[in-house]
Amino acid sequence: MQTDIDPRDLIGRKAYDRDGNKIGTVDEVYLDDATGEPEWAAVRTGLFSRDAFVPLEPSEVVRDALHVPFDRARIKDAPDFGVGRHLSPEQELQLYHHYGMEVPAAGEPGPGAGEEGLGHVAGTGD
């Protein structure tokens, strides 16, 4: 993801899947406790106002929208941990596995970096 964007600026942006289908609106952004880097976004999806967690890397911000390189079904089936709470390293690991992503090694952002987990940046739910 672009590193020059303030994570708070993502909140309220529309989010789209890899095929250009709208999946919802960014509700919260989660930062790695150890590095302060944004890692995940909670996207408020349609009917039941459920939040789906999406990885910010390798997502991109294009024309004021977040484009997530996964299909809509995978995004909507992501583990639901609720928003506004700290995510544990175990929950983050579940997200990495769900998306078939490699877990970062020790010293890099992500659950391999330590036991801190993820805190959130103020979102629309705050």
Side-chain angles (χ1 to χ4, degrees):
M1 190 189 86
Q2 292 173 274
T3 56
D4 59 341
I5 191 164
D6 185 327
R8 291 175 292 236
D9 289 341
L10 288 173
I11 296 167
R13 290 185 189 225
K14 301 295 180 213
Y16 296 87
D17 73 1
R18 70 175 178 202
D19 299 319
N21 300 310
K22 182 180 170 193
I23 53 174
T25 304
V26 176
D27 198 22
E28 304 234 358
V29 175
Y30 286 75
L31 308 179
D32 183 278
D33 287 343
T35 66
E37 292 295 315
E39 287 197 28
W40 299 90
V43 175
R44 175 78 38 133
T45 62
L47 292 173
F48 301 106
S49 295
R50 176 189 181 278
D51 281 276
F53 286 87
V54 298
L56 290 175
E57 180 64 41
S59 298
E60 295 181 292
V61 175
V62 179
R63 291 189 285 284
D64 291 333
L66 181 66
H67 291 266
V68 183
F70 296 97
D71 65 45
R72 177 184 224 141
R74 180 167 291 201
I75 293 165
K76 291 207 177 214
D77 287 341
D80 184 4
F81 302 120
V83 295
R85 292 182 279 176
H86 193 270
L87 289 183
S88 71
E90 293 78 21
Q91 290 170 319
E92 188 180 8
L93 209 66
Q94 287 179 38
L95 290 169
Y96 274 100
H97 290 304
H98 172 76
Y99 285 105
M101 296 171 58
E102 188 173 317
V103 177
E108 296 178 15
E115 295 301 315
E116 292 88 357
L118 298 171
H120 73 285
V121 170
T124 58
D126 286 350

